[in-house]
Amino acid sequence: QLQLQESGPGLMKPSETLSLTCTVSGDSITNRQFYWGWIRQPPGKGLEWIGSIFHTGSTYYNPSLKTRVTMSVDTSTNQFSLSLSLTSVTAADTAVYYCVRDSHYYDSSGYYLVSDSWGQGTLVTVSS
Amino acid sequence: SYVVTQPPSVSVAPGKTASITCAGNDIVSKSVHWHQQKPGQAPVLVIYYDTDRPSGIPERFSGSNSGNTATLTISRVEAGDEADYYCQVWDSSLGQYVFGTGTKVTVL
């Protein structure tokens, strides 16, 4: 049974760099059927996709966050990570951050992804 | 950027049918997935690729996609269906997801 567990600091200061890790159990991060992604949700608000990564390092990023985001995979520990440069506005990046598994397939029209499993989420508060 | 709109709220009586829309330009050309989120919990996938249902999701949940609107339909609504519902749109030409604004379903 797949389990996704986020870990990282709960409190950050503006303009710092946030680093979060997702530990995957019950599946191999090198499984060719899946990408691995991050989605966030500010308190009381909707969902925002951050990005998705394949075990080879191939990535898809949200264009609105692309300049501040780096994702990576560590196949030796079955983990993937998010690095986000925080803005100077505290509320902008305060959110629950979820890691997800993205099932994917490819055909002549392109790649297709769906977030089919979610971690429980971790709250990151940005405050000076 | 691609914009997807959902109604903020839908109210439905138990046993009736709830329809939640997800509107976007030519959304029929994209892949639409639906997630259910109950208070304090992580979302759960309930419909993927417009019409498919993951194992364990009741047949009461169904989806469709046509023109500029995708729809999640919940038949024979139960109290336990009360939740926020988000459409997630995958645009294969741009290689990106966009989420809808979310719809709160209230069971009267």
Side-chain angles (χ1 to χ4, degrees), chain B residues 4-55:
Chain B
V4 178
T5 304
Q6 298 180 234
S9 62
V10 167
S11 297
V12 58
K16 299 299 185 182
T17 298
S19 295
I20 305 160
T21 57
C22 176
N25 184 48
D26 194 33
I27 200 170
V28 66
S29 67
K30 308 184 192 306
S31 300
V32 179
H33 319 301
W34 292 91
H35 301 267
Q36 174 195 67
Q37 186 179 34
K38 296 183 179 179
Q41 297 184 20
V44 172
L45 180 69
V46 294
I47 292 289
Y48 64 104
Y49 293 120
D50 300 343
T51 60
D52 294 341
R53 197 172 48 251
S55 60

Side-chain angles (χ1 to χ4, degrees), chain A residues 26-122:
Chain A
D27 199 351
S28 171
I29 205 166
T30 60
N31 188 325
R32 296 175 62 85
Q33 297 180 71
F34 305 116
Y35 275 68
W36 306 92
W38 293 95
I39 293 168
R40 70 180 181 177
Q41 184 174 36
K45 297 189 177 181
L47 300 168
E48 180 179 35
W49 173 66
I50 299 172
S52 301
I53 187 167
F54 198 56
H55 68 89
T56 57
S58 175
T59 55
Y60 295 109
Y61 289 144
N62 184 328
S64 67
L65 297 171
K66 187 174 184 176
T67 59
R68 300 196 288 129
V69 170
T70 302
M71 294 177 63
S72 60
V73 171
D74 186 339
T75 58
S76 67
T77 58
N78 222 39
Q79 296 175 325
F80 63 101
S81 298
L82 168 69
S83 177
L84 175 67
S85 299
L86 301 176
T87 69
S88 58
V89 178
T90 59
D93 295 313
T94 293
V96 175
Y97 286 75
Y98 295 99
C99 60
V100 299
R101 185 181 73 177
D102 288 321
S103 177
H104 83 103
Y105 76 92
Y106 172 80
D107 67 15
S108 59
S109 299
Y111 280 92
Y112 297 86
L113 270 66
V114 53
S115 303
D116 66 3
S117 297
W118 297 67
Q120 64 183 23
T122 186

Side-chain angles (χ1 to χ4, degrees), chain A residues 2-47:
Chain A
L2 177 73
Q3 288 193 320
L4 303 169
Q5 180 65 59
E6 305 88 351
S7 58
L11 182 63
M12 298 288 295
K13 295 184 185 302
S15 302
E16 290 183 331
T17 298
L18 170 66
S19 293
L20 294 176
T21 296
C22 182
T23 300
V24 180
S25 56
D27 199 351
S28 171
I29 205 166
T30 60
N31 188 325
R32 296 175 62 85
Q33 297 180 71
F34 305 116
Y35 275 68
W36 306 92
W38 293 95
I39 293 168
R40 70 180 181 177
Q41 184 174 36
K45 297 189 177 181
L47 300 168

Side-chain angles (χ1 to χ4, degrees), chain B residues 14-99:
Chain B
K16 299 299 185 182
T17 298
S19 295
I20 305 160
T21 57
C22 176
N25 184 48
D26 194 33
I27 200 170
V28 66
S29 67
K30 308 184 192 306
S31 300
V32 179
H33 319 301
W34 292 91
H35 301 267
Q36 174 195 67
Q37 186 179 34
K38 296 183 179 179
Q41 297 184 20
V44 172
L45 180 69
V46 294
I47 292 289
Y48 64 104
Y49 293 120
D50 300 343
T51 60
D52 294 341
R53 197 172 48 251
S55 60
I57 300 301
E59 294 183 6
R60 301 184 297 103
F61 289 82
S62 63
S64 63
N65 189 1
S66 179
N68 296 319
T69 304
T71 303
L72 172 69
T73 301
I74 312 172
S75 304
R76 302 180 299 283
V77 166
E78 303 174 355
D81 299 331
E82 193 162 275
D84 294 327
Y85 291 82
Y86 293 91
C87 59
Q88 179 190 35
V89 180
W90 172 255
D91 188 329
S92 60
S93 62
L94 295 179
Q96 66 183 67
Y97 284 119
V98 174
F99 277 99

